[in-house]
Amino acid sequence: MNINVSIEARMTSSRLPKKVLKPLGNSTVLEVMINRVLKCKLVNKIIVATTINKEDDGIINLCEKKNVEYFRGSENNVFQRVLQAHEKFETDIIVELTGDCPFIEPRLIDEAIEFYLNNDYDYVSNSIKSTFPVGMSIQVYSLKALQEVSKKELTSMDIEHVTPEFYTTKRFKIYNIEAPKNLYFPELSVTLDTKEDYEIITKIMNHFKNDYFTIEEMISYVRKNPKLLQINSSIKRKGLS
């Protein structure tokens, strides 16, 4: 069973250009994320799914430095980019992440994979309904299921967000993993879309001073410093629903 993570990353984000290579601690946003995903026990490969744009050459340089696989595809057709990346690396089970989640928790990734493998669902996510901190989004499904979706006429939502067909129709059996009580904190957002997000993420990183701290440690720190939540609380997010 070939279980591969893909991280969608590009330098031409409209709200915060070049965000994935912004400095964070002693490295960059994307490198922190890669370092955390490398701690997963059930993942075979990390594939950074980026674009053919010249602007994304820096992402490729990082992948080569980290000895991480990459795929270059369409900037605007993210569905095609993710599909082709996993076809190239002969993935069986896709774990889809986005490159704006530097503090993704590797234990949650392993738990989502394990839940998918031990149950009869086509699609497992923890963000159909938001209960974890924003920036912990994990989606698990098979390449076969994504290939099935690709046979239909794709909408602009499918092309941009890859997976809406799974959770907006009744064609597939889906499951949403909800946060346990100690991790329930949807008010906290550590996804990186705006300069306000970058500010709170940087403050959290500077507190811990290393690439890996647990989600429990992060939540504890923010709960003890609730003013941090005000930094980006007014930002409107694009949800999965």
Side-chain angles (χ1 to χ4, degrees):
M1 189 74 71
N2 202 8
I3 303 171
N4 294 334
V5 164
S6 59
I7 301 174
E8 297 148 27
R10 63 189 176 99
M11 294 289 277
T12 51
S13 169
S14 56
R15 288 210 277 184
L16 192 63
K18 303 181 181 179
K19 65 182 182 180
V20 296
L21 292 187
K22 278 191 169 295
L24 191 59
N26 295 319
S27 50
T28 64
V29 169
L30 182 57
E31 187 168 8
V32 169
M33 184 172 181
I34 289 170
N35 288 345
R36 292 176 70 90
V37 177
L38 283 169
K39 290 187 173 288
C40 292
K41 296 174 181 175
L42 299 180
V43 170
N44 298 109
K45 281 189 177 73
I46 298 172
I47 307 160
V48 175
T50 190
T51 85
I52 57 174
N53 294 346
K54 178 72 175 170
E55 292 93 330
D56 291 324
D57 288 353
I59 293 174
I60 302 306
N61 293 339
L62 173 61
C63 292
E64 291 175 344
K65 169 190 162 188
K66 301 293 294 180
N67 198 27
V68 164
E69 304 286 2
Y70 61 84
F71 177 84
R72 304 191 82 160
S74 169
E75 176 180 11
N76 296 320
N77 193 332
V78 188
F79 185 101
Q80 182 188 72
R81 193 195 324 160
V82 171
L83 175 63
Q84 291 177 344
H86 287 286
E87 287 179 334
K88 176 182 177 181
F89 290 99
E90 300 182 334
T91 300
D92 294 305
I93 306 302
I94 296 171
V95 182
E96 187 188 346
L97 309 175
T98 56
D100 50 10
C101 299
F103 297 156
I104 194 77
E105 172 59 54
R107 192 185 78 249
L108 296 183
I109 296 173
D110 281 336
E111 287 174 0
I113 294 168
E114 196 165 17
F115 186 90
Y116 176 89
L117 294 175
N118 291 335
N119 293 277
D120 185 26
Y121 291 101
D122 301 306
Y123 172 87
V124 171
S125 177
N126 64 354
S127 51
I128 300 171
K129 177 185 175 185
S130 186
T131 56
F132 291 91
V134 179
M136 294 292 152
S137 178
I138 301 159
Q139 302 179 82
V140 185
Y141 52 92
S142 69
L143 175 60
K144 185 177 178 182
L146 194 64
Q147 288 170 329
E148 184 180 335
V149 172
S150 73
K151 293 173 185 175
K152 82 174 199 74
E153 187 175 347
L154 298 179
T155 67
S156 59
M157 285 289 289
D158 296 323
I159 288 168
E160 182 180 357
H161 298 289
V162 185
T163 55
E165 183 74 8
F166 289 119
Y167 52 82
T168 61
T169 71
K170 298 192 184 300
R171 291 179 59 199
F172 297 92
K173 291 176 66 177
I174 69 172
Y175 187 86
N176 184 70
I177 299 172
E178 297 206 2
K181 189 176 179 181
N182 66 316
L183 301 183
Y184 184 92
F185 203 4
E187 303 91 338
L188 171 60
S189 179
V190 287
T191 191
L192 180 57
D193 288 325
T194 68
K195 58 182 176 48
E196 292 86 358
D197 298 331
Y198 184 55
E199 182 181 347
I200 185 173
I201 286 169
T202 300
K203 285 181 183 295
I204 292 170
M205 189 71 181
N206 289 346
H207 170 75
F208 288 104
K209 297 184 175 65
N210 65 76
D211 284 1
Y212 184 68
F213 42 87
T214 67
I215 184 174
E216 289 89 351
E217 290 170 329
M218 180 180 70
I219 286 174
S220 175
Y221 171 61
V222 175
R223 288 199 187 281
K224 290 173 184 173
N225 297 272
K227 286 187 178 179
L228 288 169
L229 293 173
Q230 297 171 16
I231 295 172
N232 63 349
S233 61
S234 64
I235 304 300
K236 288 184 166 55
R237 306 291 174 188
K238 297 178 186 175
L240 277 180
S241 55

